[in-house]
Amino acid sequence: MATDERVVGFFAGIADLDATNPADHVLEDGVRLASGARLEQFARAGSGDAFCFVGEGGEERPVVYVSLDGEAGPLAVGLPELVRLCLVAPWWRDAPGRTARELQAVAGEYRQDVPDLDRRRDLAARALGLDPAGLPSEAAALARLAELSRGPVAAACLVVGYEGDPLDPLFGAAPDQP
């Protein structure tokens, strides 16, 4: 189906979130949640980093990103929120520690690399039954990342490595707001 190919193409190629065959990629031995709750990988980035659900249940569970560089943190509460983040700010990995002006530059560079980003985003959103006009702004999506990194979701999603030490947080400080 052409629509499915557009969605898969956007998420795998632009947002670097590939859920086509997560069984091929497993978390490094010993990487787990500090709470002992289940950490279930469902997608990967091209680098091998993992997108994981936390705990038991379905797509409503918190989503954690586990980097091979020793960083981890919550991205969303539920798959729909993750989808919206990836649609509006597929470059979210470049957000930590940047000012509003720097974030605008990152978004601009991303758009230069993918000149039809907005069109492809809108096609993917519509294929998923989402109205592109109803998507959050980039600033709102990034503010939500910062909120998740500091609150009770972050505490419930604390990832530890094989030696039992917590991985570094993805987002330590909130990005400056425009």
Side-chain angles (χ1 to χ4, degrees), residues 35-130:
S35 67
R38 183 176 181 204
L39 189 61
E40 176 189 351
Q41 182 176 350
F42 67 90
R44 67 173 182 85
S47 63
D49 295 351
F51 292 85
C52 303
F53 284 123
V54 172
E56 300 296 327
E59 295 177 351
E60 75 285 352
R61 296 177 282 172
V63 176
V64 170
Y65 187 80
V66 180
S67 159
L68 294 177
D69 294 329
E71 298 174 323
L75 296 180
V77 177
L79 192 57
E81 186 174 22
L82 177 65
V83 165
R84 286 174 175 81
L85 167 66
C86 290
L87 285 168
V88 300
W91 44 266
W92 63 265
R93 284 173 202 76
D94 295 327
R98 298 194 189 262
T99 65
R101 173 174 263 145
E102 290 168 336
L103 288 172
Q104 288 172 344
V106 168
E109 289 170 14
Y110 211 90
R111 283 189 165 79
Q112 283 180 339
D113 290 342
V114 185
D116 62 344
L117 176 66
D118 293 336
R119 182 187 65 78
R120 292 176 70 180
R121 177 206 56 223
D122 291 353
L123 288 171
R126 285 187 190 100
L128 292 168
L130 300 172

Side-chain angles (χ1 to χ4, degrees), residues 134-175:
L135 294 172
S137 68
E138 291 174 357
L142 294 174
R144 176 67 172 154
L145 279 178
E147 175 189 329
L148 289 172
S149 70
R150 295 188 306 267
V153 173
C157 295
L158 182 64
V159 178
V160 296
Y162 67 94
E163 293 182 4
D165 295 324
L167 299 184
D168 292 333
L170 282 176
F171 298 93

